[in-house]
Amino acid sequence: MAPQRFREQFDQIQRSMSDVPLAMGPDDSAEFLYEKGVVLARDGEEARLVEDTVREHFTTFAGLGADQVRRASPETNRTGITRIRVGDPGEGDGRGDPAVANALRSLRATEGRAGRRLISRNHVVSIAVNACPGDEPVPVPRTTPPNPAPDTTPYEADTAVGVLVVDTGLMHDYRSCALLAHTTGDAQLRECDDDGVLQQYVGHGTFIAGVLAAVAPNTDIIVRNTLNDCGAILESEFGEKLFEAVDGHGWPAVLSLSAGTSNGRTDGLLGIHAFMEELRDQGTLLVAAAGNNASATPFWPAAYAALPGWENAVLSVGALRSDGEFGACFSNHGSWVRAYAPGERLTGALTGFGTPVPYVYQHSSYDDCRFGFGYACTCSHPRHTGVLSEPGDPAGKPDQVMFDGHAQWSGTSFAAPVAAGLVAAHMTAHKETDPRAARRQLLAAVADYAEVRGAHVPALLPPTWRPDPVDPPAAGA
């Protein structure tokens, strides 16, 4: 049986967020994850309107009495969002939530008259974007040079560009890696399980910081461990966590974010909208990963790059395959993706250089590319058997590897820090203090293009990145 990555990630995230019943959506399909029995609305009059409308319709739609429609979290916060209970989260399984779907449906006409969105699911935002990772890390020897290789620009404290990475925390031994000499931030809360095995996505933030530092050495990188819990967080909490991330050190020049979700809409995420409005009014440039579901569906917050008012404030980044000629098979794409950068089989620091540590694969590889591509992509190479793909099957014993510092890893998660690093490097090289101006200048000067789903797109290729030849794609890939 072929692996079911989305279902596997759903089970993994549900175990991690065991106190929050989750569903796959929309309805009976599998495009994103969200909290069961709860919707989001803006505080104040809009929240009251949502409550009243849902209460009016629910005896027909969900069989709930008027006293069962209530606020799950009445206090306000900087996001201006209220969670409203519309159903019993213990009912049904994870294949959609009729109560939430009916609540959304009951507000549809009212939203049309109001001219704006009033209600939303409470989506799960995750670094396993669309709950579908590009792949899992592959160990490489310590002697393997990073790719991208470190740029030779010297570090100067007075001119270093501030970059904030919101992700998992730093590994305890990260300072053993010379590339991360000017990186600070939060520690990874728990690196290994009770058996001493690395947990899934541990090292994600450290790897991102290493990629960024290699492309732009003249940076002060701060890593926040906002996404430690299996790399997933509810939309209702994410906006507040983003505010907290910038509160401690002020708004950075560049914010690198390798997480998000789709929501089936084209107008953003309700839970982070207040943060995105403040970001728009600041000078910070958000560089965001486009997601790994091989889809053209807008992925947030990266897709804010295509919304009026955020064009200069957000740079959405898709992933190129290892030769830089085409898009990686897993990369999201579409007109809302503004640029592409190398994101397949990058090499960098997963941990520091302490004691070797084991990792057990969670997902099995496929016999062929699950997206129909014909080259040796990360869907099928290297071969491995994972815990989540073969539950209870003695013949499907999961593969274990040892990490000794360096890893190869793929995903738009890593294309985003490549692009963030190029913006920062441009700022240093041109003495540019405005990251949004640097973004415009960088894209205007692009000399390289790649082909992604038939479109020719800007390719941001670091001078120190080494392309690897791959077999040509099959027809139609």
Side-chain angles (χ1 to χ4, degrees), residues 213-276:
V215 177
N218 192 36
T219 48
D220 287 323
I221 301 170
I222 298 172
V223 179
R224 297 299 303 268
N225 63 3
T226 302
L227 299 168
N228 262 322
D229 193 2
C230 200
I233 189 171
L234 288 174
E235 178 184 341
S236 58
E237 301 171 6
F238 190 45
E240 191 64 29
K241 291 295 185 181
L242 287 172
F243 276 121
E244 290 177 8
V246 299
D247 282 348
H249 307 278
W251 287 85
V254 178
L255 170 55
S256 180
L257 180 63
S258 295
T261 181
S262 60
N263 64 352
R265 296 185 63 104
T266 58
D267 54 357
L269 288 179
L270 200 60
I272 67 167
H273 200 70
F275 176 83
M276 294 302 298

Side-chain angles (χ1 to χ4, degrees), residues 3 18 71 93 145 159-160 206 230 261 321 344 349 351 366 405 413 428 457:
S18 58
R71 296 191 181 194
D93 56 20
T159 63
T206 303
C230 200
T261 181
R321 69 184 196 183
E344 189 176 68
T351 70
Y366 292 76
S413 279
T428 295
V457 299

Side-chain angles (χ1 to χ4, degrees), residues 285-291 302 305-306 311 314-320 326-328 331-343 412 414-420 422-423 439-440 442-444 446 448-450 452 455-461:
L285 174 69
L286 170 62
V287 181
E311 304 96 327
V314 180
L315 175 59
S316 49
V317 186
L320 298 174
F326 293 85
S331 181
N332 284 350
H333 51 90
S335 60
W336 55 272
V337 183
R338 292 296 184 245
Y340 291 76
T412 59
F414 314 117
V418 168
L422 286 171
V423 170
R439 170 201 171 279
R440 291 193 299 271
L442 186 67
L443 292 180
V446 164
D448 297 298
Y449 286 81
V452 176
H456 285 84
V457 299
L460 300 177
L461 306 179

